[in-house]
Amino acid sequence: MFTDSHCHLTFPELSGDLAGVRAAMAAARVTRALCISTTMEEFPSVQALAVRFDNFWASAGVHPDSENVHEPSVDELVAATRLPRVVAVGETGLDYYQMQERKGGRTIADMAWQRTRFRTHIRAARTAGVPLIIHTRAASDDTLAILREEGEDGGQGSAGGVFHCFTETRAVARAALDMGFYVSLSGIVTFKNARELHEVATLVPDDRLLIETDAPYLAPVPHRGKLNTPAYVPHVAARLAELRGTTAERIGQITSDNFTRLFSRVST
């Protein structure tokens, strides 16, 4: 019924209780989840989890905020996507907020290594013929510019993909949609103060919408501040249903259909 398009089940907050996580998913009618890689060191565990359970899939990539980790080449990422149940490259993108706020106030110029890594992931996704999972925070202008420079305009040969855990403006959402990308909304859309995101939630067409938890982070209301799990993704659907004037069940159905269409390998 519901699909969590982005979660981190190999993180220690959840990996020790997979049986409980899965039982809660089943009770909440969450039938599928995409498990996301944040480093190549983590990737084997992510992929093994997807192989172990027939309703999990995996991505291969390095989060933009990960430093002092192995930097994969295009060929290495492409090879990872050829492993069983790997359906995407990412999460990848740019995160200037984390670098500026947490790590010494570095400048945009200091983030050149992030931009290089992002280009590597884009090229790998296109070569492999799988979509990108894009993370962008405080870096939307550069994220969009690099995608355009790399030919991600929605045309033939584009990898496409999804802007996950979307927290940007309506203008950024419109630009992402115009480039052929999907937009995924997380538990943040249930927060009362996320007013601009509520507007974005009504902008995204039915056929470009995904939902996610980003578990173990960003638990939706009424669990805000607690440990998040894929079982909570129906709360995201329920809030979107309120904003879009429909039912949570319909949101669950259209986002599950979109998940299958975007990550086309899940049906094979």
Side-chain angles (χ1 to χ4, degrees):
M1 178 64 191
F2 298 98
T3 299
D4 185 353
S5 69
H6 192 111
C7 59
H8 300 277
L9 300 188
T10 57
F11 283 16
E13 296 92 333
L14 297 174
S15 62
D17 186 27
L18 284 177
V21 168
R22 288 177 56 78
M25 287 175 64
R29 299 184 296 160
V30 180
T31 57
R32 301 182 297 182
L34 180 53
C35 304
I36 304 299
S37 169
T38 60
T39 67
M40 296 310 290
E41 289 85 347
E42 177 198 19
F43 169 70
S45 297
V46 175
Q47 194 255 343
L49 191 64
V51 170
R52 180 180 173 190
F53 298 108
D54 64 5
N55 61 338
F56 289 166
W57 284 267
S59 72
V62 183
H63 190 287
D65 195 34
S66 296
E67 287 194 87
N68 302 314
V69 297
H70 176 66
E71 288 289 351
S73 66
V74 169
D75 288 346
E76 186 176 355
L77 286 167
V78 170
T81 68
R82 292 175 177 154
L83 295 173
R85 303 188 70 77
V86 180
V87 300
V89 166
E91 63 186 283
T92 183
L94 302 175
D95 192 327
Y96 296 163
Y97 177 85
Q98 302 284 24
M99 294 299 143
Q100 293 168 352
E101 296 296 320
R102 291 187 183 178
K103 299 185 178 180
R106 285 180 275 181
T107 67
I108 300 300
D110 296 327
M111 302 300 109
W113 60 273
Q114 277 198 4
R115 295 186 285 275
T116 298
R117 177 188 288 172
F118 188 24
R119 292 182 189 276
T120 296
H121 282 65
I122 296 168
R123 294 167 189 175
R126 184 181 298 112
T127 300
V130 298
L132 290 155
I133 299 169
I134 295 175
H135 168 113
T136 183
R137 190 177 186 193
S140 58
D141 287 349
D142 280 1
T143 299
L144 293 168
I146 288 172
L147 286 167
R148 292 189 183 103
E149 289 166 11
E150 292 293 328
E152 287 299 314
D153 56 5
Q156 187 174 6
S158 295
V162 57
F163 277 60
H164 106 89
C165 193
F166 193 87
T167 55
E168 302 294 334
T169 64
R170 286 173 57 92
V172 175
R174 183 71 268 166
L177 293 167
D178 288 347
M179 295 166 69
F181 284 86
Y182 290 64
V183 171
S184 181
L185 297 173
S186 70
I188 296 173
V189 79
T190 69
F191 300 171
K192 288 183 179 179
N193 62 350
R195 294 181 182 87
E196 186 157 26
L197 194 57
H198 298 162
E199 295 180 5
V200 169
T202 65
L203 169 71
V204 181
D206 282 355
D207 63 353
R208 296 286 194 84
L209 182 66
L210 293 174
I211 54 176
E212 65 174 88
T213 59
D214 205 12
Y217 310 119
L218 302 174
V221 174
H223 304 287
R224 186 174 182 180
K226 300 178 182 178
L227 182 68
N228 199 7
T229 84
Y232 292 162
V233 80
H235 294 293
V236 179
R239 182 61 178 133
L240 284 174
E242 292 175 358
L243 292 165
R244 295 167 73 95
T246 186
T247 65
E249 288 72 19
R250 183 171 182 274
I251 295 294
Q253 186 61 61
I254 64 174
T255 54
S256 291
D257 290 346
N258 292 342
F259 179 86
T260 302
R261 184 168 59 254
L262 176 60
F263 301 108
S264 57
R265 292 185 181 183
V266 303
S267 59
T268 62

